[in-house]
């Protein structure tokens, strides 16, 4: 792979300046050159994460395929470590294979650096992940942070020391204090006190940052005096705790006690969020019982001022997060308030994100689809927490039904946003936990069938559809029955039974129209176009144009892209490659706003077929290389979507390989395979990206 095709990774922008640690940073970079697994260890609050991120930024040029952060702090289930890693790397969890296998295959041909952050509570799972990935991906390096080593062969360990006192520690205190009190200076008059303060804090960066936040209202002498009183009291506590651990706990205890009762309550409650939160979530989940909803904004602002909560901007919206040490402290305080209170907060958290998912699903048919999926990706950590919630008796039945409702509401997140594998596992688990014949189960069943069809598991899909159909009839649920009819058509289409598929889609369109399911209508219409095109039915074009016009009238974009693709396919089959290419390009332009691996792979397949039929076999082969990489990440091939499509693929391969010769054909495939994510593959195919793998200044795939 070439550097020009590399992904930038996902490292977050630093919110504050990086202070000190020049020698530590140089040592980590040196050791990363030789070690494939380097683990930074040290006590909580010593700055392992910040140092790892700074080292990763400094090393970025050496990794053509990106530098990626995997924050494992919110993950509690060891079995979810591989899935969390795949999510962070943008690897689609779409196939039926284990996620670890999908990850290993994705990284096998790449030169990348992964920062596995906060591994200490998942050491065994992280060790298994690291060993598997490093064994299968020779170009991979892993930089881990953990209070415990991973303990596998080849691991190099670097213990992160506290900041040196007075030099680095005083520099950090000055930097953070002057940010909130611009007039603050370290002078001859206060230097000894500042140094004593930093020494009492053991040079721990987190402790220094918390103390610096107090300089907004206190003098450095007052902060030092108060801390010395607290540390003196602490000597009567546990004698087994390490001094630096006692220091940090004492500092956080002090910050906690300086908060008002309402601020403490909110601190505790905010700890249920994973991966951050916005103001709506904080108000919806954490208000009430001592925290009025109208006070949440002011309380969050006060916690930000005290460095308990960090503020950042994401997609034009303010979001907030806690450092993991601070969040864990709040979670312990929440647990101390009793299991009833903790379950109540977790249930409110689950219900908030269920309501969000259901709202986005209910409004999917119309504008804002790209934004909806972006929102769900942003909240993926919280969605996992919500899906893992399990209340105690006597609400267990209600909780099981709520889980069914949530997995069904997330159907577009699973099936159109790169999370199909995780989605199918979540749906199956929710169905297994709630066997009662309820409306929620009926909806989840047809979503499970859709996920199984996209993975090529036609038999499982048919079994789910059988139960959904029976349950839909029993409950007289017209929406469920309508979707079952459409998915019966999809099952027939993917098996190559075109006449049956067309008949079922016609029936489904009528049923979905009667049920008021606009998305279902479009979903059946574009697939009806494909079936009719391969049957030589002259109605295919009118059906496709009707689908496109309907989508445009409602501001719908996702199904519209598929309708354009189906219409382009029909045009090509009818002998009009120029119209076919124009329609395919229009479909791909819409897909730029989504993360739909299956959709982009299908559209690029058609792009390659039309290109090859026009005689440009080199361009066709390069696009087939993009397609091959996408299908590999999905874990399937185009044959899962029907023999009629697979035949076109084989003919395109044979024509291009025959025209170019084996060596040139494989070289072209490898060139295209460098563009292995939907947005990059689209830009490469359409010739609108900033560069190409060949390094040419102008796009090589202009139509």
């Amino acid at each position: 792979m070439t550097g020009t095709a590399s992904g930038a990774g996902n490292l977050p922008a630093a919110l504050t300046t990086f202070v000190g640690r020049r020698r530590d940073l140089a040592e980590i970079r040196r050791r990363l050159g030789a070690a494939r697994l380097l683990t930074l260890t040290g006590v909580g609050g010593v700055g392992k994460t910040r140092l790892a991120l700074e080292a990763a930024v400094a090393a970025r040029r050496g990794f053509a395929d990106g530098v990626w952060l995997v924050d494992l702090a919110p993950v509690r289930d060891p079995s979810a470590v591989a899935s969390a890693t795949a999510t962070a790397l943008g690897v689609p969890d779409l196939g039926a294979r284990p996620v670890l296998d999908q990850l290993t295959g994705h990284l096998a041909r790449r030169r990348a650096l992964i920062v596995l952050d906060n591994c200490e509570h998942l050491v065994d799972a992280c060790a298994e992940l690291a060993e598997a990935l490093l064994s299968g991906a020779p170009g991979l390096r892993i930089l881990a942070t953990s209070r415990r080593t991973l303990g596998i062969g080849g691991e190099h360990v670097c213990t992160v020391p506290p900041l040196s006192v007075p030099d680095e520690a005083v520099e950090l205190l000055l930097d953070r204090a002057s940010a909130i009190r611009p007039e603050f200076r370290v002078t001859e008059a206060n230097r000894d006190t500042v140094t004593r303060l930093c020494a009492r804090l053991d040079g721990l960066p987190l402790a220094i940052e918390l103390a610096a936040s107090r300089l907004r209202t206190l003098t450095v002498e007052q902060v030092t005096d108060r801390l010395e009183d607290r540390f003196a009291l602490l000597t009567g506590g546990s004698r087994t705790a390490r001094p630096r651990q006692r220091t940090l706990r004492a500092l956080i205890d002090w910050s906690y006690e300086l908060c008002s009762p309402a601020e403490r309550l909110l601190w505790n409650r905010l700890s249920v969020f994973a991966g951050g939160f916005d103001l709506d979530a904080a108000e919806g989940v954490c208000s009430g019982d001592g925290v009025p909803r109208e006070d949440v904004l002011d309380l969050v602002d006060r916690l930000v001022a005290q460095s308990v909560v960090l503020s950042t901007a994401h997609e034009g919206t303010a979001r907030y997060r806690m450092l993991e040490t601070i969040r864990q402290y709040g979670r312990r305080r929440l647990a101390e308030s009793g299991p009833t209170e903790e379950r109540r907060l977790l249930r409110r958290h689950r219900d908030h994100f269920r309501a969000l998912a259901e709202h986005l699903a209910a409004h999917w048919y119309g504008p804002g689809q790209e934004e909806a999926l972006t929102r769900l990706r942003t909240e993926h950590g919280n969605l996992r927490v919500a899906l893992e919630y399990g209340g105690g008796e006597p609400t267990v039945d209600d909780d099981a039904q709520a889980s069914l409702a949530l997995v069904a509401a997330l159907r577009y997140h699973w099936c159109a946003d790169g999370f199909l594998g995780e989605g199918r596992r979540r749906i199956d688990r929710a169905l297994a936990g709630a066997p009662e014949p309820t409306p929620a189960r009926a909806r989840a069943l047809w979503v499970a069938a859709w996920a199984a069809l996209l993975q090529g598991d036609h038999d499982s899909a048919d079994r789910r559809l059988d139960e959904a159909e029976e349950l839909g009839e029993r409950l007289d649920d017209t929406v469920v029955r309508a979707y079952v009819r459409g998915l019966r058509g999809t099952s027939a289409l993917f098996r190559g039974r075109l006449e049956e598929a067309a008949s079922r889609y016609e029936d489904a369109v009528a049923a979905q129209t009667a049920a008021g399911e606009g998305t279902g209508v479009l979903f059946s219409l574009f697939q009806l176009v494909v079936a009719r095109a391969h049957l030589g039915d002259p109605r295919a074009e009118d059906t496709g144009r009707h689908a496109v016009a309907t989508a445009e009238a409602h501001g719908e974009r996702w199904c519209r892209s598929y309708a354009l693709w189906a219409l382009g396919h029909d045009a090509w089959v009818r002998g009009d490659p120029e119209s076919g290419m124009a329609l395919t390009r229009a479909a791909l332009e819409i897909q730029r706003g989504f993360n739909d691996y299956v959709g982009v792979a299908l559209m690029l397949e058609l792009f390659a077929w039309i290109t090859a039929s026009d005689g440009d076999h080199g361009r066709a082969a390069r696009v087939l290389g993009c397609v091959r990489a996408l299908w590999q990440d999905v874990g399937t091939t185009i044959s899962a979507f029907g023999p009629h499509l697979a035949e076109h693929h084989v003919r395109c391969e044979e024509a291009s390989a025959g025209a170019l010769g084996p060596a040139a054909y494989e070289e072209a495939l490898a060139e295209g395979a460098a563009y292995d994510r939907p947005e990059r593959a689209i830009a490469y195919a359409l010739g609108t990206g900033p560069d190409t793998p060949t390094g040419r200044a102008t796009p090589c795939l202009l139509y």
Side-chain angles (χ1 to χ4, degrees):
M1 298 181 68
T2 63
T4 57
S6 67
N10 68 338
L11 296 184
L15 301 177
T16 55
T17 55
F18 182 73
V19 175
R21 298 212 184 276
R22 295 174 184 83
R23 291 183 179 178
D24 297 333
L25 190 58
E27 176 65 11
I28 291 171
R29 293 189 64 186
R30 183 189 68 78
R31 296 184 68 175
L32 267 180
R36 298 192 59 213
L37 170 61
L38 177 61
T39 301
L40 306 187
T41 64
V43 299
V46 79
K48 300 183 292 293
T49 296
R50 185 62 192 274
L51 181 57
L53 290 176
E54 199 70 19
V57 169
R60 191 156 45 189
R61 289 188 178 181
F63 296 95
D65 297 296
V67 179
W68 305 89
L69 171 65
V70 182
D71 182 8
L72 296 172
V75 179
R76 289 292 171 263
D77 182 358
S79 67
V81 168
S83 183
T85 303
T87 299
L89 270 64
V91 177
D93 183 2
L94 298 173
R97 292 181 302 149
V99 180
L100 185 55
D101 292 349
Q102 297 180 52
L103 258 178
T104 304
H106 176 84
L107 291 166
R109 59 187 186 274
R110 291 169 169 79
R111 179 170 178 78
L113 171 65
I114 295 177
V115 179
L116 283 181
D117 193 28
N118 295 302
C119 299
E120 52 272 350
H121 61 300
L122 300 161
V123 166
D124 292 340
C126 290
E128 179 184 350
L129 174 77
E131 197 160 35
L133 295 183
L134 292 171
S135 297
L140 177 67
R141 294 283 192 278
I142 294 178
L143 179 60
T145 74
S146 177
R147 298 183 196 182
R148 300 162 55 195
T149 62
L150 302 190
I152 64 175
E155 180 183 25
H156 291 232
V157 178
C158 179
T159 301
V160 178
L163 296 175
S164 63
V165 180
D167 298 336
E168 294 176 327
V170 170
E171 183 183 358
L172 178 63
L173 182 72
L174 174 60
D175 182 88
R176 301 305 190 251
S178 60
I180 58 174
R181 273 182 59 187
E183 73 279 9
F184 180 81
R185 297 288 186 275
V186 177
T187 65
E188 289 301 320
N190 68 10
R191 185 178 301 278
D192 288 346
T193 305
V194 169
T195 299
R196 187 167 75 253
L197 172 60
C198 291
R200 293 296 282 160
L201 297 174
D202 288 321
L204 288 173
L206 177 57
I208 291 171
E209 299 222 16
L210 289 172
S213 73
R214 291 299 164 193
L215 294 175
R216 181 190 303 270
T217 53
L218 300 174
T219 67
V220 68
E221 290 80 8
Q222 288 174 310
V223 172
T224 304
D225 290 343
R226 287 169 180 254
L227 283 179
E228 288 187 346
D229 290 343
R230 166 158 293 284
F231 295 156
L233 291 172
L234 195 65
T235 58
S238 172
R239 298 186 181 276
T240 61
R242 296 178 179 177
R244 291 192 181 107
Q245 292 173 331
R246 294 201 302 267
T247 296
L248 185 59
R249 176 59 190 256
L251 200 285
I252 300 176
D253 280 339
W254 181 55
S255 292
Y256 189 81
E257 290 167 9
L258 287 175
C259 291
S260 69
E263 289 167 355
R264 293 179 203 169
L265 267 179
L266 189 62
W267 181 342
N268 299 347
R269 294 174 182 180
L270 291 174
S271 69
V272 301
F273 291 106
F277 55 92
D278 60 17
L279 183 60
D280 286 343
E283 290 175 335
V285 175
C286 302
S287 62
D289 297 319
V291 181
R293 186 183 184 94
E294 61 271 19
D295 291 354
V296 170
L297 173 58
D298 181 57
L299 291 170
V300 168
D301 185 60
R302 281 147 60 181
L303 290 174
V304 169
Q306 298 174 74
S307 297
V308 173
V309 171
L310 303 178
S311 175
T312 184
H314 180 80
E315 301 290 338
T317 301
R319 280 187 70 81
Y320 306 91
R321 67 181 179 89
M322 289 177 164
L323 293 176
E324 183 58 17
T325 303
I326 300 295
R327 192 182 75 84
Q328 287 181 357
Y329 181 94
R331 193 60 183 270
R332 284 196 297 269
R333 289 284 192 169
L334 180 62
E336 289 169 3
S337 65
T340 300
E341 174 68 2
E342 187 175 21
R343 281 199 302 269
R344 186 182 72 85
L345 261 294
L346 288 170
R347 188 177 296 114
R348 292 188 69 175
H349 177 277
R350 190 271 318 279
D351 291 344
H352 174 84
F353 287 101
R354 172 190 167 186
L356 171 66
E358 289 179 334
H359 174 80
L360 294 178
H363 293 81
W364 177 257
Y365 184 55
Q369 293 173 329
E370 297 98 321
E371 294 80 4
L373 293 184
T374 298
R375 177 74 184 278
L376 292 175
R377 284 196 297 273
T378 300
E379 301 292 3
H380 193 74
N382 282 312
L383 293 173
R384 280 178 168 153
V385 171
L387 286 164
E388 290 165 3
Y389 167 76
E393 297 286 357
T395 61
V396 70
D397 290 341
D398 291 340
D399 288 334
Q401 293 302 311
S403 293
L404 280 177
L406 179 53
V407 295
L410 289 171
R411 54 190 174 272
Y412 301 110
H413 184 52
W414 305 136
C415 296
D417 203 23
F419 296 97
L420 181 59
E422 179 179 353
R424 190 175 176 197
R425 292 189 297 274
R426 298 282 188 184
I427 298 165
D428 288 348
R429 187 181 307 170
L431 286 167
E436 299 80 11
T438 62
R441 181 174 179 84
R443 289 190 295 272
L445 282 166
W446 75 254
V447 175
W450 182 19
L453 284 169
L454 291 177
Q455 286 190 328
D457 191 349
H458 303 152
D459 292 339
S460 293
D462 287 345
R463 288 193 295 271
R464 294 298 194 191
L465 289 174
D466 288 342
E467 184 183 351
E469 184 173 28
E470 187 276 330
L471 192 52
E473 293 290 345
R474 188 195 311 182
L475 299 171
D476 193 25
D477 192 322
T478 57
V479 172
V480 169
R481 294 203 304 267
Y483 275 101
V484 167
R485 291 175 185 181
L487 290 167
R488 292 284 195 197
T490 302
S491 178
L493 181 69
F494 288 2
R495 293 175 186 270
R497 302 198 297 262
L498 299 176
E499 291 184 356
E500 177 189 344
S503 176
R504 289 189 179 275
Y505 286 135
E506 291 166 0
D507 186 32
V509 168
Q512 288 157 341
T513 300
E517 285 296 310
T519 296
V521 171
L522 289 177
F523 195 72
S524 294
L525 279 175
F526 81 73
Q527 293 179 95
L528 177 58
V529 176
V530 175
R532 284 178 170 175
H534 281 278
L535 288 169
D537 189 330
R539 294 176 293 173
E541 182 179 5
D542 286 343
T543 302
R545 295 196 182 281
H546 173 59
V548 171
T550 301
E552 288 176 342
H554 290 85
E556 204 280 351
R557 289 174 56 79
W558 183 65
C559 276
R560 181 185 171 207
S561 72
Y562 278 92
L564 288 167
W565 162 73
L567 200 53
H569 183 271
D570 176 64
W572 178 57
V573 169
R574 289 187 290 101
D576 186 358
E578 184 175 352
S579 294
M581 179 59 81
L583 289 162
T584 304
R585 292 174 69 92
L588 287 167
E589 287 287 355
I590 293 174
Q591 281 286 340
R592 286 180 185 273
F594 296 91
N595 190 41
D596 185 354
Y597 277 70
V598 171
V600 172
L602 288 170
M603 293 168 195
L604 288 178
E605 286 271 10
L606 179 57
F607 189 105
W609 304 343
I610 298 174
T611 301
S613 69
D614 198 39
D616 194 342
H617 296 290
R619 182 182 301 174
R622 289 190 289 273
V623 177
L624 284 177
C626 297
V627 170
R628 174 188 284 185
L630 292 173
W631 285 134
Q632 183 173 346
D633 281 340
V634 170
T636 187
T637 66
I638 195 169
S639 62
F641 299 87
H644 46 289
L645 297 180
E647 290 172 6
H648 290 307
H649 177 87
V650 171
R651 284 200 292 269
C652 182
E653 282 186 321
E654 291 175 347
S656 298
L660 297 175
Y665 177 68
E666 290 298 327
E667 182 179 351
L669 286 177
E671 187 175 308
Y675 294 83
D676 54 356
R677 297 180 188 275
E679 73 282 3
R680 293 168 60 206
I682 292 171
Y684 179 55
L686 299 184
T688 56
D691 51 41
T692 69
T694 60
R696 288 192 283 269
T698 56
C700 65
L701 289 181
L702 287 172
Y703 175 67

